Amino acid sequence: MPDLPEHPSTVSTAFRSALEVIRGVEPRIADAIGQEVADQREMLKLIASENYASPATLLTMGNWLSDKYAEGTVGRRFYAGCRNVDTVESVAAEHARELFGAAHAYAQPHSGIDANLVAFWAVLAQRVEAPALERAGVRNVNDLSEADWAELRQAFGNQRMLGMSLDAGGHLTHGFRPNISGKMFDQRSYGTDPATGLLDYEALRASAREFQPLIIVAGYSAYPRLVNFRIMREIADEVGATLMVDMAHFAGLVAGKVLTGDFDPVPHAQIVTTTTHKSLRGPRGGMVLCDESLADQVDRGCPMVLGGPLPHVMAAKAVALAEARRPEFRDYAQAVVDNSRALAEGLKRRGATLVTGGTDNHLNLIDVATSYGLTGRQAESALLESGIVTNRNAIPADPNGAWYTSGIRIGTPALTTRGLGTAEMDEIAALIDRVLTTAEPGTTAKGAPSKAQHILDPKIADEISRRASDLVAGFPLYPEIDLG
Ligand code: DSN
């Protein structure tokens, strides 16, 4: 675990005391918090987007900063008395700039979708609103005539975005209809090469030339390989698009300098968004990095898109980013990828088919339909029953659709934080393979084939659960915290 304090008992005392205070008001909540850490200690957590924040990061979130309204940004607030929030927000942004080598950082977004909305609207403000204001000879939207305002609103709705398709590993917030981004933009997707499963930059280039998007979004939540951001920027420049990268999943690998050069999005994209709680191992939240040209627009995220910031969470972002600047974070990031590769090798050796044939990052995507004759939903449930927590995920051209899916996504950031290494990854591959080779598709109550139900011998589920919990017991989570 990161950030072991000099006196571990201090951390124990802090969490115990906090729970005691909470228990005095609402014991069910104290119990739920205690149970959550107990559950997390026992789980074999392979959800690619989850991690374990340090005690320092967790403790930073429970304090008086939470009580302060601070709409606006540093030095430009709508409320008085924000000097401490200014410090917190400035320190978080400073660490983010230094860590990622970004010209500008904005630490307010509450989540990944908020960060993406701030980015979209910063680009729309720069490329659609600012020229409209200039044409009308005014500085503020409030000064536009009704006719000019109607025209601008229509222009906002006419913009195009090119994003990675969902079944290739893209994200709902990259312009898909169920999300607000899909209702804002006319979206087209780019996919992967059906033969290799890899991004096809020439197909993407052709699509960009034809579609002429305002924004090209790069980034993924289920693509197990690297993205060449230099080529993405080249394509964006060629068609006059702004390159936005959502690095939520792999921010920790960028911070830990595993992804550098063409694979580091920050020098190549005009704007980069992230969450702070995935491979970056911080508190639950989001962040935006950008070049100088977008800094003013990004800083208007509140009130443009966001409500009042969460100063206690920005404080925790600052603490986590300070941790990520330490040399040991680079070892962690490298170990995440080494573990992911070891897991891939262990699965392949046992006969599993992986989308793209392997991994270069923190995640693997098992094609469980081809490998084991199961849907993602059946595999996810069988694994959960056996003490292995994963999530189902679509694979390219998924025959089982986005709900049942044919894939299982597995990620290594959390278990690497606990200290598990490549030998344990091979053992985990053996456990996963044993469950999935033994599980079978089930039937509905009426005996028809079901994509949801599975059959798994309870003895196998018990045996694997025991082996999974023995495995993680050797790598205690928060060993310094004893809640009694
Ligand atoms: N929910 C996150 C994930 O699991 O990838 C992305 O939003």
Side-chain angles (χ1 to χ4, degrees):
M1 283 299 297
D3 199 33
L4 276 184
E6 227 168 281
H7 303 291
S9 65
T10 315
V11 176
S12 250
T13 309
F15 281 99
R16 269 195 205 209
S17 306
L19 284 177
E20 211 174 291
V21 172
I22 297 164
R23 181 160 286 110
V25 180
E26 177 46 284
R28 289 173 297 179
I29 297 300
D31 288 346
I33 295 171
Q35 191 56 51
E36 182 60 27
V37 72
D39 289 352
Q40 297 225 13
R41 279 173 160 155
E42 276 181 19
M43 278 177 200
L44 197 59
K45 176 153 102 167
L46 287 164
I47 292 183
S49 48
E50 293 188 6
N51 211 327
Y52 304 105
S54 72
T57 298
L58 295 175
L59 286 169
T60 308
M61 281 185 277
N63 58 62
W64 304 272
L65 288 164
S66 167
D67 294 333
K68 191 70 194 101
Y69 247 122
E71 287 176 11
T73 188
V74 180
R76 207 171 64 202
R77 306 281 185 194
F78 294 92
Y79 292 83
C82 291
R83 66 178 178 167
N84 300 310
V85 180
D86 278 359
T87 301
V88 161
E89 187 167 350
S90 305
V91 174
E94 175 193 306
H95 279 308
R97 284 194 310 271
E98 294 292 326
L99 178 63
F100 292 107
H104 186 74
Y106 182 63
Q108 289 194 24
H110 311 154
S111 67
I113 179 174
D114 291 3
N116 286 348
L117 283 174
V118 169
F120 296 147
W121 281 100
V123 175
L124 288 168
Q126 180 194 49
R127 300 203 43 198
V128 179
E129 183 177 297
L133 295 181
E134 203 178 312
R135 279 196 302 278
V138 300
R139 296 187 56 187
N140 192 297
V141 280
N142 291 330
D143 299 326
L144 288 172
S145 67
E146 286 301 318
D148 286 344
W149 177 232
E151 195 180 314
L152 175 57
R153 287 180 58 237
Q154 201 163 35
F156 284 141
N158 283 340
Q159 303 306 318
R160 296 180 186 154
M161 171 201 288
L162 188 63
M164 191 170 190
S165 68
L166 277 181
D167 69 349
H171 195 259
L172 265 186
T173 60
H174 300 174
F176 293 93
R177 290 181 188 179
N179 178 256
I180 187 166
S181 57
K183 303 178 205 301
M184 283 163 52
F185 287 98
D186 177 8
Q187 196 258 25
R188 183 181 285 186
S189 313
Y190 56 88
T192 45
D193 181 324
T196 60
L198 299 176
L199 268 171
D200 180 345
Y201 296 100
E202 286 320 303
L204 201 164
R205 191 188 300 273
S207 180
R209 279 182 186 153
E210 195 206 319
F211 189 54
Q212 295 288 312
L214 181 81
I215 301 177
I216 296 181
V217 182
Y220 54 79
S221 57
Y223 180 65
R225 297 292 181 173
L226 307 184
V227 178
N228 187 316
F229 299 111
R230 182 185 50 75
I231 299 179
M232 296 292 290
R233 175 63 185 262
E234 216 176 82
I235 297 170
D237 283 351
E238 191 184 321
V239 300
T242 299
L243 177 62
M244 169 180 154
V245 176
D246 178 345
M247 66 168 180
H249 259 265
F250 51 92
L253 307 186
V254 179
K257 311 297 175 212
V258 174
L259 301 183
T260 56
D262 292 352
F263 307 110
D264 174 354
V266 180
H268 301 290
Q270 285 100 334
I271 191 156
V272 176
T273 60
T274 188
T275 51
T276 45
H277 49 273
K278 297 188 174 88
S279 54
L280 197 52
R281 208 164 61 184
R284 190 156 289 278
M287 213 161 59
V288 180
L289 310 173
C290 63
D291 65 17
E292 287 296 355
S293 77
L294 281 161
D296 276 353
Q297 306 293 6
V298 164
D299 276 349
R300 291 174 209 276
C302 169
M304 168 84 93
V305 169
L306 305 169
L310 311 177
H312 54 309
V313 182
M314 288 198 288
K317 288 174 192 171
V319 169
L321 289 165
E323 288 173 346
R325 290 184 67 189
R326 292 180 180 170
E328 53 267 33
F329 195 84
R330 294 188 181 200
D331 300 335
Y332 164 70
Q334 186 57 55
V336 166
V337 176
D338 293 346
N339 279 344
S340 186
R341 289 206 173 107
L343 203 42
E345 287 314 312
L347 287 163
K348 283 196 293 183
R349 214 176 49 250
R350 292 172 175 87
T353 300
L354 303 182
V355 172
T356 78
T359 182
D360 291 321
N361 59 20
H362 63 297
L363 68 87
N364 277 284
L365 193 55
I366 313 175
D367 177 346
V368 290
T370 304
S371 316
Y372 304 104
L374 298 168
T375 63
R377 172 89 186 263
Q378 290 160 337
E380 177 191 87
S381 309
L383 288 167
L384 185 64
E385 221 171 285
S386 313
I388 301 173
V389 188
T390 62
N391 66 281
R392 66 183 184 279
N393 209 102
I395 63 170
D398 201 308
N400 287 313
W403 179 250
Y404 294 108
T405 82
S406 303
I408 284 288
R409 187 183 70 164
I410 46 178
T412 51
L415 291 184
T416 306
T417 294
R418 284 183 84 147
L420 280 79
T422 52
E424 289 76 32
M425 294 301 136
D426 192 57
E427 167 79 8
I428 292 170
L431 301 183
I432 292 174
D433 183 66
R434 173 107 166 104
V435 173
L436 299 183
T437 22
T438 322
E440 286 172 24
T443 51
T444 63
K446 292 185 176 155
S450 163
K451 288 187 174 188
Q453 305 300 322
H454 71 278
I455 303 164
L456 178 66
D457 181 347
K459 283 199 204 106
I460 305 274
D462 283 353
E463 175 212 317
I464 302 295
S465 295
R466 251 196 325 277
R467 282 170 61 186
S469 92
D470 287 351
L471 186 65
V472 289
F475 299 86
L477 176 63
Y478 303 118
E480 70 277 35
I481 299 174
D482 174 9
L483 296 179

